[in-house]
Amino acid sequence: MALPALTPQYVLGLAALLVLVVDAFTPTSRKNGLLAGLTALAGVTSAGAAAWLYAGGAGRTTLFDGALAVDASTSFFTAVFGCVAALVAVASYDYVREEPHQSAYYALVLLATAGMSVMAAANSLVTAFLALELVSLPAYALVAYLKRDAGSAEAGLKYFVVGALSSAILVYGISLVYAATGVFGFAALADAVAGNAHVTVLGAGVVMLIGGFAFKTASVPFHFWAPEAYEGAPAPVSAFLSSASKAAGFVLAFRVFLLAFPLAAFEALGIPWTLVFAVLAVVTMTLGNVAAATQTNVKRMLAYSSIGHAGYALIGLAALSGPTSSDVAVVGASFSHLFVYGFTNTGAFLVVALAERWGVGRTFEDYAGLARSAPVASAVLAVLLFSLAGLPVGGGFWTKYALFLGAVQSGLWWLAAVGVVNSALSLFYYSRLVKAVWVDAPDETGVARERPTGIYAAVVVAAVVTVALLVAPDVVFSWADAAARALVSA
Amino acid sequence: MADVTTAVTAIPLVPFAAFLVALLVGHYKPAALPKGGALAGIAATAVSLALSVWAFLTVGAGGATLSRVWTWVPAANDSFALTFGVLVDPLSALMVVIVSGVSLLVHVFSLGYMNDEGEGGLPRYYAGLGLFTASMLAFALASNLLQAFVFFELVGFCSWWLIGHWFREPGPASAAKKAFLVTRFGDYFLLVGLVGVLGTFGTAAFAGDASFPALAHAALEGEASVNTFGVDPATWFTTLGLLILGGVIGKSAQFPLQTWLPDAMEGPTPVSALIHAATMVAAGVYLVARLYGFYALTPTVLTVIALVGGFTALFAATMALVKREIKQVLAYSTISQYGYIMLGLGSGGYVAGVFHLLTHATFKALLFLGAGAVIIAMHHDEDMWKMGGLKERMPTVYWAFLSGSLALAGIVPFAGFWSKDAVLHHALTVGLGGQPLVLLAYLMGLVAVAFTGFYTFRMVFLTFHGEPRSETARDAGPASANMRVPVAILGVLAAVVGLVNVDPLKGVVGEHLLFLERWLNGPLPGLAGPTAEHYHELVVDVAGFHTVAVSPTVSAVVSLVVALAGVALAWTWYNVPEPSEKTDVLGPTKTLLYNNYYQDEFQTWLATGVVEPLADAVDVFDASVVDGVVNGVSSTSLVASDRLRRVQTGVVTTYTTQLVLGLVVLLLIVLLLGGWF
């Protein structure tokens, strides 16, 4: 059966509308379960449709006069977004049960996911910007969802202010690029930049574009919103933003820079953008990990560690060197890193959501001895954190290895070295949390903990997928390779 | 041949399922587990045995198979893939029959040894047996060295598990740790060797045209080039072979890493039978046989194998002469007998080595199970000086044990005679053919034959003959049926299994009756390489081991006479109603032997007297220099981290300012580098 190329996007958008319709006709008591189920179903269906489209192997399809283009990277990332959205929806079932306006929450999650999957299909700077705003606006509202909670409201406002500024910079960058080239489409841009006469304008525009993407991926120096927003937002929303939204920023950056701004043409113009990404990668991973090292608040530690992970993924853009095979390898490594990270990081934040639901507290000390009362969740947390650190307990081991190898192979051994040092540092602060949970003695013993089904299911699935990707990485990695090839040799 | 692959893959998976059943049901619902998991284990090993026999017959019908079951890490970026697969050829088919057969009998015997005695922790015990069997079967069927290494390690882990079954007592707990650590020491070399093989050849496959033994051969012939890191290929392959041999020496308890094995007697006796006959210890020499296509290319490594084997055979036999406990005698005899297998393999006698592996598996399983029955009758008193006269009290066990002892001592026509003689004969012909070191190894092996005959029958006479020397021995009753039946089956096998390769009678019965040789030579359609014939060609052509024709009958008569001399001495000294400790004539030497040449003490001294001061010195360096650097980095990070927290003020206008400043810096970097100013 040949599905329309945009099926996953349609599913997500229509599901968002359907959520609002269902809300109008369902009694309040059963609403939460129904809406959460619908959202999770939409996420899984769109991921499944994406996998189906990839398996169909249609190659590249352009739509709407070249405004959108669907290829293997679109389906790959759409699958990531769908899976993360489903995990977040399942976990939210327990998290927002007592809150008002549940339909708005689920609809916003779906709309943002739809926006991300459009970002993954963007083929012109205009659609790219529109899709990015479709992600950002629901995200601001989601962060401020607990609006009676001062932290949540403050975080939403800060996120909005920084986001608005970043959007302005992005739009300004787009206008500069347009001024230099006169076109928006990626393919047309690739032709127009070669030998362009307005190098300064174009260069400034490209740096501002990088700034806009750095905001979405929470890379330095556009990262300031991240710790605040993740800390204040409801934990499932933090999981959603730090995994899916970040991956969306990356797929857009990869599409723009691989499809519209060919490296060879830019090196001829004297704008070596790989260097900018290399600098950003080093600064981002170092700042993220160093700042994470002394946090006392668990959620904030995870927020900074997620900034650090953006630094690792940036290696995929920094270590491009020209030969197709090595470029495919390093971009594919970055893609698979984002895939594994999508599950692992979501899972880690959802464990925090679980702890918030139990009223455990926010600091490392509050987590002491959690393993005594919640062994399953604590085991899951340990697996997820060690996989984030790159130990061979989860798929994160392979992807980090592939990223560093890619950096070394394209001559950026110093980048790989910085990455390794940072990984070692990250092991330090992840271990601190694992130690608190498993080794330290709890304040009070014999606490009976409820087991919220939704969050439990979500974290266990996240951990199982993480471990499965260590054992059988091939399924995902071959897809990531195909996705990378679709962009590198387009 | 997909169906063969599926069925063969099931051979290790079925005991693995039994392991899971015993572990999970035993933990959550012990009442639902009949006999503590024994029945599940018996059923699983019986299925494995049936499948193994079927695989054996399939190979016999020309159905040798090599197939990939699972790709762990696919090949990417010009690198190699890491895969798991099954290799079903005459060697592995024979091995899985041995392993599943011995394991089945050990499971049945355990019903008597563990269940009837009311031992605790039965689900744990049977789970361990299941995993042990599964690991060894998967190891035997491994298609490449990486997979073999994984299951090699699992085998080591399982022996830790089972040796330490009675972990609340200090002895078993310490013995388990010792077995684990000593074999792990050898395994480090194997791991380095494995990495070296992968780095050199880009593959660790055992069989086929693209396997690493085939590539190594081609490289020596100058027909292929491999990455030898700038070293001469022959030297490099020798290095790799020696590294892999490290793992073999640890697992097969060869000198100098044999010290773990006697201590491992602390485990339940059926476990000892399994470890010694078919799994742990067998894994080492099996790896040599598996890699024979590689070892046959390196005369130096072959000579080392032969020397280590010959020396270990003699060395361990001397220590067995004076032991008081029945299981200690058997433990040293295991070390000694695996020395013979190494001697056979090292002198180029692939068939002889595998033959002795087969017969030894039979009679050593028998002797341990027999000893287990005696130990139960003696209420766990293992001192032979307190036994005696058990012949009349447990006749089935006695006759079976006697059959096994005759096999161990190498008396015609019992199993050990044929295989040990094949080993010695081969070593002799190669030794006389211009390999003086192999000849030396042969002589050590020959002397050990006399010792073997002596210590074996010293054990038999002290245990079963004469008058009972204690109350317990006087009151001993016959073994229960679930112990007698496995012992009896093995007793018959130990008598006849040697007839599969009656080499000394070649002239009388004709070559077609040398079943094992024909089996291992067997045609292998589609699998270039691993036949005994091919190995023999390699040993002669590449390693340059030439043989001198010596009549196998002469060699057989020599070793038989030597063995009978040992038996005769034991007869005169110990087959009397009131035997005494005649080995006292050895004087201080006896104390030396009894204390195993003080090797444990020596190794402890190595650890405390050499390694510990060295470690202290390194620690000083580590604490001052390395830690200094690391602490410097981390304190810098932590200080920086603290500063960074202050940058994150929480004031959103500061953020926007910093954000814009960051952008400006980026713009400046690009514009400067672009050369626009």
Side-chain angles (χ1 to χ4, degrees):
Chain A
M1 185 177 69
L3 293 174
L6 287 177
T7 312
Q9 286 81 354
Y10 294 149
V11 168
L12 291 166
L14 290 175
L17 300 179
L18 189 60
V19 161
L20 296 176
V21 174
V22 168
D23 176 49
F25 292 98
T26 325
T28 317
S29 57
R30 292 167 43 207
K31 196 176 285 177
N32 185 33
L34 192 60
L35 296 180
L38 194 60
T39 310
L41 185 67
V44 171
T45 311
S46 71
W52 180 273
L53 287 171
Y54 165 69
R60 167 178 287 261
T61 320
T62 49
L63 302 138
F64 304 113
D65 280 341
L68 294 177
V70 174
D71 54 35
S73 71
T74 313
S75 60
F76 182 79
F77 278 94
T78 306
V80 177
F81 305 146
C83 292
V84 173
L87 287 178
V88 167
V90 169
S92 301
Y93 165 73
D94 294 310
Y95 200 90
V96 303
R97 191 186 295 162
E98 323 285 311
E99 307 292 333
H101 313 303
Q102 291 155 349
S103 61
Y105 178 88
Y106 291 112
L108 287 170
V109 168
L110 282 170
L111 282 173
T113 315
M116 293 170 193
S117 56
V118 177
M119 277 167 91
N123 200 35
S124 119
L125 290 177
V126 176
T127 39
F129 180 71
L130 287 177
L132 194 131
E133 288 301 299
L134 179 55
V135 179
S136 298
L137 294 173
Y140 304 143
L142 280 172
V143 170
Y145 174 68
L146 305 172
K147 60 184 177 183
R148 310 266 169 229
D149 179 281
S152 177
E154 184 193 338
L157 188 63
K158 283 182 183 167
Y159 186 25
F160 176 68
V161 170
V162 178
L165 179 63
S166 302
S167 289
I169 292 172
L170 178 63
V171 146
Y172 192 22
I174 291 176
S175 73
L176 288 180
V177 170
Y178 184 73
T181 59
V183 287
F184 284 123
F186 290 170
L189 273 171
D191 294 331
V193 293
N196 196 289
H198 314 286
V199 182
T200 321
V201 177
L202 185 61
V206 167
V207 173
M208 290 187 169
L209 280 183
I210 292 178
F213 299 144
F215 163 70
K216 210 77 220 132
T217 58
S219 305
V220 177
F222 293 78
H223 69 283
F224 292 105
W225 61 275
E228 313 270 334
Y230 295 169
E231 192 188 348
V237 172
S238 311
F240 186 58
L241 291 184
S242 64
S243 309
S245 178
K246 185 187 296 275
F250 270 108
V251 67
L252 190 57
F254 274 105
R255 289 182 81 84
V256 168
F257 280 89
L258 289 172
L259 296 175
F261 299 149
L263 183 56
F266 270 74
E267 274 175 344
L269 291 175
I271 313 172
W273 52 255
T274 46
L275 184 73
V276 180
F277 282 113
V279 172
L280 283 188
V282 167
V283 178
T284 305
M285 66 173 94
T286 309
L287 186 136
N289 284 307
V290 167
T294 52
Q295 298 301 323
T296 51
N297 180 313
V298 173
K299 225 166 158 188
R300 245 183 134 78
M301 180 276 279
L302 283 177
Y304 278 107
S305 105
S306 110
I307 294 173
H309 276 274
Y312 302 136
L314 279 171
I315 292 177
L317 279 164
L320 296 170
S321 53
T324 308
S325 69
S326 74
D327 283 2
V328 167
V330 72
V331 173
S334 187
F335 283 7
S336 17
H337 189 70
L338 289 166
F339 187 102
V340 177
Y341 179 74
F343 282 93
T344 317
N345 187 60
T346 306
F349 268 106
L350 291 182
V351 174
V352 174
L354 197 56
E356 282 182 0
R357 191 174 162 79
W358 286 329
V360 162
R362 302 145 70 91
T363 64
F364 282 68
E365 286 84 44
D366 296 331
Y367 277 63
L370 194 63
R372 313 267 170 94
S373 54
V376 175
S378 304
V380 163
L381 182 67
V383 167
L384 294 171
L385 290 178
F386 284 138
S387 176
L388 282 176
L391 296 191
V393 295
F397 168 71
W398 295 121
T399 59
K400 252 190 197 176
Y401 173 72
L403 274 172
F404 295 159
L405 188 68
V408 171
Q409 279 175 347
S410 53
L412 298 178
W413 57 267
W414 51 271
L415 186 56
V418 172
V420 170
V421 170
N422 270 301
S423 284
L425 181 59
S426 74
L427 187 58
F428 161 71
Y429 58 78
Y430 290 133
S431 310
R432 269 181 62 208
L433 184 54
V434 174
K435 171 176 169 283
V437 167
W438 280 98
V439 180
D440 293 350
D443 291 338
E444 43 187 332
T445 50
V447 190
R449 306 231 183 251
E450 58 153 345
R451 300 241 172 114
T453 325
I455 306 187
Y456 250 86
V459 296
V460 169
V461 167
V464 166
V465 172
T466 302
V467 174
L469 287 173
L470 174 75
V471 184
D474 193 29
V475 190
V476 168
F477 287 15
S478 60
W479 194 357
D481 253 23
R485 187 159 284 117
L487 295 185
V488 170
S489 53
Chain B
M1 301 284 280
D3 51 336
V4 178
T5 309
T6 319
V8 169
T9 314
I11 293 178
L13 285 181
V14 178
F16 185 76
F19 153 69
L20 289 180
V21 167
L23 197 69
L24 297 177
V25 181
H27 183 74
Y28 290 106
K29 225 173 159 32
L33 199 62
K35 296 274 181 196
L39 297 188
I42 290 172
T45 41
V47 171
S48 278
L49 179 61
L51 286 171
S52 305
V53 169
W54 178 79
F56 187 83
L57 296 176
T58 309
V59 172
T65 316
L66 170 63
S67 45
R68 178 178 292 190
V69 176
W70 177 47
T71 302
W72 182 24
V73 182
N77 285 358
D78 313 322
S79 95
F80 42 81
L82 303 179
T83 61
F84 283 60
V86 291
L87 168 60
V88 192
D89 69 346
L91 179 66
S92 64
L94 180 67
M95 193 67 193
V96 288
V97 172
I98 297 176
V99 174
S100 48
V102 171
S103 175
L104 174 61
L105 294 174
V106 164
H107 271 86
V108 173
F109 187 87
S110 298
L111 281 176
Y113 195 89
M114 303 295 287
N115 294 46
D116 294 354
E117 293 293 301
E119 299 288 351
L122 287 177
R124 179 161 49 84
Y125 174 78
Y126 285 107
L129 281 189
L131 185 61
F132 207 170
T133 312
S135 317
M136 186 64 196
L137 289 168
F139 168 74
L141 291 167
S143 70
N144 61 66
L145 191 57
L146 171 78
Q147 181 185 358
F149 176 76
V150 169
F151 291 106
F152 205 64
E153 293 305 296
L154 264 179
V155 166
F157 164 72
C158 292
S159 49
W160 168 83
W161 176 331
L162 287 165
I163 292 169
H165 180 72
W166 290 305
F167 61 89
R168 288 199 173 77
E169 292 159 38
S174 147
K177 273 183 278 187
K178 185 169 175 186
F180 191 73
L181 292 175
V182 173
T183 57
R184 191 54 23 90
F185 180 74
D187 291 346
Y188 280 124
F189 295 96
L190 173 59
L191 179 59
V192 176
L194 164 66
V195 173
V197 165
L198 282 171
T200 305
F201 302 104
T203 173
F206 287 145
D209 289 332
S211 63
F212 78 91
L215 285 174
H217 187 204
L220 287 177
E221 303 281 314
E223 290 159 4
S225 71
V226 294
N227 177 16
T228 57
F229 304 94
V231 184
D232 169 56
T235 318
W236 180 242
F237 296 159
T238 303
T239 314
L240 288 179
L242 287 174
L243 283 170
I244 297 173
L245 194 63
V248 172
I249 287 180
K251 277 279 190 302
S252 278
Q254 297 296 294
F255 181 81
L257 297 184
Q258 85 286 19
T259 49
W260 67 270
L261 193 139
D263 289 34
M265 293 299 112
E266 295 280 358
T269 309
V271 171
S272 306
L274 193 58
I275 288 182
H276 289 229
T279 53
M280 177 90 173
V281 194
V285 290
Y286 180 78
L287 191 62
V288 176
R290 187 76 282 176
L291 290 178
Y292 212 70
F294 187 68
Y295 279 124
L297 306 173
T298 51
T300 319
V301 185
L302 281 181
T303 313
V304 170
I305 296 176
L307 264 183
V308 167
F311 180 73
T312 309
L314 177 61
F315 187 64
T318 58
M319 292 184 273
L321 295 177
V322 297
K323 296 294 170 201
R324 300 177 63 91
E325 280 122 8
I326 182 164
K327 278 178 80 181
Q328 287 293 320
V329 177
L330 289 175
Y332 284 97
S333 87
T334 299
I335 302 174
S336 170
Q337 295 299 307
Y338 276 95
Y340 280 113
I341 300 176
M342 294 280 277
L343 172 60
L345 292 170
S347 57
Y350 173 72
V351 177
V354 175
F355 186 25
H356 199 55
L357 178 62
L358 166 70
T359 58
H360 176 260
T362 319
F363 65 71
K364 191 49 64 70
L366 163 63
L367 289 173
F368 267 108
L369 295 187
V374 168
I375 289 168
I376 290 295
M378 293 293 298
H379 302 295
H380 287 274
D381 191 344
E382 299 180 11
D383 190 342
M384 294 188 295
W385 289 103
K386 296 194 182 138
M387 298 180 188
L390 293 177
K391 182 171 140 189
E392 289 78 23
R393 289 165 180 79
M394 32 198 340
T396 317
V397 173
Y398 169 68
W399 290 110
F401 198 88
L402 185 63
S403 163
S405 300
L406 289 165
L408 172 59
I411 307 299
V412 70
F414 291 85
F417 167 74
W418 306 103
S419 55
K420 193 188 289 179
D421 176 66
V423 166
L424 288 172
H425 173 242
H426 203 93
L428 178 63
T429 56
V430 170
L432 293 175
Q435 298 290 337
L437 290 174
V438 177
L439 191 63
L440 174 67
Y442 163 77
L443 289 174
M444 291 192 283
L446 189 65
V447 176
V449 168
F451 290 174
T452 311
F454 176 79
Y455 71 67
T456 308
F457 277 86
R458 173 175 173 268
M459 171 177 71
V460 172
F461 294 137
L462 285 182
T463 308
F464 290 101
H465 289 230
E467 293 300 318
R469 287 180 296 277
S470 70
E471 275 308 307
T472 340
R474 211 159 289 130
D475 300 339
S480 62
N482 44 27
M483 291 198 271
R484 275 206 314 272
V485 170
V487 171
I489 293 174
L490 286 167
V492 175
L493 281 177
V496 299
V497 77
L499 302 179
V500 299
N501 217 47
V502 287
D503 208 29
L505 302 180
K506 201 190 309 190
V508 185
V509 299
E511 292 227 11
H512 65 282
L513 281 182
L514 301 184
F515 296 109
L516 187 73
E517 193 166 326
R518 278 175 48 217
W519 172 256
L520 291 171
N521 278 337
L524 290 178
L527 282 181
T531 66
E533 216 154 350
H534 174 74
Y535 292 153
H536 183 69
E537 283 162 21
L538 289 183
V539 168
V540 174
D541 296 340
V542 184
F545 276 22
H546 299 287
T547 54
V548 172
V550 178
S551 159
T553 323
V554 173
S555 147
V557 169
V558 169
S559 49
L560 183 61
V561 168
V562 173
L564 284 173
V567 176
L569 183 62
W571 183 295
T572 49
W573 279 3
Y574 298 109
N575 193 18
V576 291
E578 299 287 335
S580 60
E581 298 207 32
K582 299 279 190 189
T583 44
D584 285 345
V585 297
L586 293 170
T589 318
K590 179 178 175 181
T591 320
L592 180 71
L593 294 178
Y594 192 79
N595 289 307
N596 311 323
Y597 298 92
Y598 296 101
Q599 282 178 98
D600 280 315
E601 285 74 6
F602 175 68
Q603 288 180 352
T604 311
W605 175 79
L606 270 185
T608 55
V610 179
V611 178
E612 206 174 7
L614 189 68
D616 285 342
V618 174
D619 184 48
V620 171
F621 177 79
D622 189 53
S624 54
V625 182
V626 179
D627 280 8
V629 174
V630 172
N631 289 339
V633 171
S634 69
S635 59
T636 315
S637 308
L638 294 180
V639 170
S641 177
D642 207 45
R643 292 278 149 74
L644 279 173
R645 283 173 67 183
R646 278 181 230 165
V647 173
Q648 191 89 23
T649 53
V651 180
V652 75
T653 44
T654 322
Y655 295 170
T656 50
T657 316
Q658 286 166 343
L659 191 154
V660 172
L661 284 176
L663 180 72
V664 169
V665 170
L666 266 186
L667 267 175
L668 285 177
I669 291 176
V670 171
L671 296 185
L672 278 174
L673 282 173
W676 300 330
F677 287 118

